[in-house]
Amino acid sequence: MKGRTFAWALVVLAAAAVLAQGRRWHDRLEASRLLVQVEAISVAAVASGRDPCAFLPANLQALDRAAELAPADFEVPMDRGSLYLLCGSPRAAIEPYRRAAALEPHPEIYLHLGEALLQAGEAAEARQSFRLAVELNPLFAGRVPPSQALTR
């Protein structure tokens, strides 16, 4: 009897694990859908000549929900920083980009962080961020603003 009880306990635990994993998968999928929605709204606004900042409150709300669903996803704070940068608020963009880089250091994050820092008047910090972007991916050297040209 002990063996059967143990086997059933294992079956119940395995089923619970599968259900929990399915829930995490569903949450990440929903977070990804929200990220795509935010990007699509912003791109469509820019392409049609509308002010993308008019959609900022709704987009930030969607990103808040995505952050709840996928707290370890670097794309959520990265997209938040990009929205602020797009709307001319480079200082507001800096912290979300830093959070994104802390979650997963990607060259794109450091490139955008450098742009935000540069626009905020923090040229020395911007240069460091651009340097990190290029160290992570040398192909990004061509995307560094000429005023921040990196020397070896």
Side-chain angles (χ1 to χ4, degrees):
M1 234 13 178
K2 284 185 179 180
R4 264 195 181 150
T5 303
F6 182 71
W8 277 109
L10 283 178
V11 167
V12 169
L13 286 174
V18 167
L19 287 173
Q21 185 64 25
R23 183 71 193 160
R24 283 191 296 273
W25 178 82
H26 178 268
D27 288 351
R28 289 187 55 79
L29 185 63
E30 177 63 11
S32 293
R33 186 193 66 75
L34 288 166
L35 289 170
V36 168
Q37 172 188 315
V38 166
E39 187 172 337
I41 289 169
S42 299
V43 168
V46 170
S48 67
R50 290 180 295 169
D51 181 12
C53 301
F55 303 98
L56 186 62
N59 280 339
L60 291 176
Q61 187 175 19
L63 290 177
D64 288 344
R65 179 68 181 133
E68 291 171 7
L69 295 168
D73 189 341
F74 76 94
E75 291 181 17
V76 176
M78 187 170 100
D79 282 5
R80 182 178 299 276
S82 295
L83 285 175
Y84 284 128
L85 197 58
L86 179 65
C87 289
S89 298
R91 289 214 178 272
I94 292 169
E95 188 54 36
Y97 283 138
R98 286 185 173 148
R99 274 197 316 271
L103 288 170
E104 197 167 324
H106 281 271
E108 296 88 357
I109 298 169
Y110 289 110
L111 184 70
H112 296 311
L113 175 58
E115 291 169 4
L117 288 164
L118 189 60
Q119 288 180 27
E122 306 291 337
E125 278 189 80
R127 182 169 279 128
Q128 290 174 335
S129 190
F130 289 132
R131 187 176 309 283
L132 280 170
V134 172
E135 284 176 10
L136 290 171
N137 186 342
L139 296 176
F140 277 63
R143 294 178 60 187
V144 174
S147 67
Q148 296 294 303
L150 304 173
T151 56
R152 293 272 169 189

